[in-house]
Amino acid sequence: MSEEEAENAWEQSKEQKRKDTPAKAEADDADDEPQSLEDAVAEAYEKIDNNDLSSNLTLRDENLAALFHGLEGANQLEDVGVAAADEINWDQEDTDTRAGVLRALVRIGLNEVDSDEDDDGIIQAGKDGRRQYYDSDDF
């Protein structure tokens, strides 16, 4: 088997695993009416609290991994974290950790791609969903 064939088989295997996940089955069972983002976030908080969803996000990217390890090795990770936190006026203590920097950068990215002018945006919808969950009887 050539290297290209092996890579294709690996990608197909990963794709098949994604298609067979419980989240896919739940999505298939859900009714066709779309849920508001706030409601979906509130529901996700409930599932996280019930240990039905993971609170971790996983990102596999060799290039980004090398870059972040390089930033750590060159003692520049905290500088990136502080700049990212400043960009979104975020007063967080952990911008010197890889996870903290990634959290800030993801928020920046979400703000950048949020093109819906009719509401307060994705981040605000997430905050509203969180508030909805904590104000509910489920909490």
Side-chain angles (χ1 to χ4, degrees):
M1 181 181 286
S2 72
E3 186 174 326
E4 185 176 328
E5 290 171 327
E7 182 66 29
N8 286 339
W10 172 251
E11 289 300 321
Q12 287 174 347
S13 170
K14 288 192 309 187
E15 189 62 34
Q16 185 61 39
K17 287 178 186 175
R18 285 188 202 114
K19 289 179 183 176
D20 293 339
T21 62
K24 172 80 167 91
E26 283 180 27
D28 290 344
D29 293 340
D31 41 317
D32 294 334
E33 189 173 316
Q35 191 175 28
S36 73
L37 180 54
E38 291 85 354
D39 289 344
V41 169
E43 185 178 305
Y45 271 108
E46 181 179 358
K47 288 181 178 182
I48 289 169
D49 280 352
N50 291 332
N51 293 317
D52 295 331
L53 283 178
S54 172
S55 62
N56 292 326
L57 297 175
T58 303
L59 172 74
R60 185 177 311 198
D61 187 303
E62 184 177 288
N63 297 326
L64 286 175
L67 176 60
F68 270 79
H69 289 295
L71 286 167
E72 287 174 319
N75 293 321
Q76 294 181 16
L77 182 66
E78 187 172 4
D79 296 338
V80 172
V82 168
D86 287 347
E87 177 72 22
I88 54 175
N89 298 318
W90 198 32
D91 186 24
Q92 295 292 316
E93 300 289 325
D94 65 349
T95 54
D96 60 339
T97 67
R98 200 177 320 149
V101 173
L102 286 168
R103 280 191 290 273
L105 291 172
V106 166
R107 283 173 172 79
I108 290 170
L110 287 171
N111 282 328
E112 284 292 315
V113 301
D114 186 13
S115 61
D116 191 352
E117 301 294 330
D118 296 335
D119 61 26
D120 293 328
I122 293 171
I123 298 293
Q124 187 60 48
K127 290 177 182 179
D128 292 345
R130 180 176 188 222
R131 189 174 315 112
Q132 178 181 326
Y133 171 66
Y134 285 119
D135 290 345
S136 74
D137 294 333
D138 296 326
F139 176 67

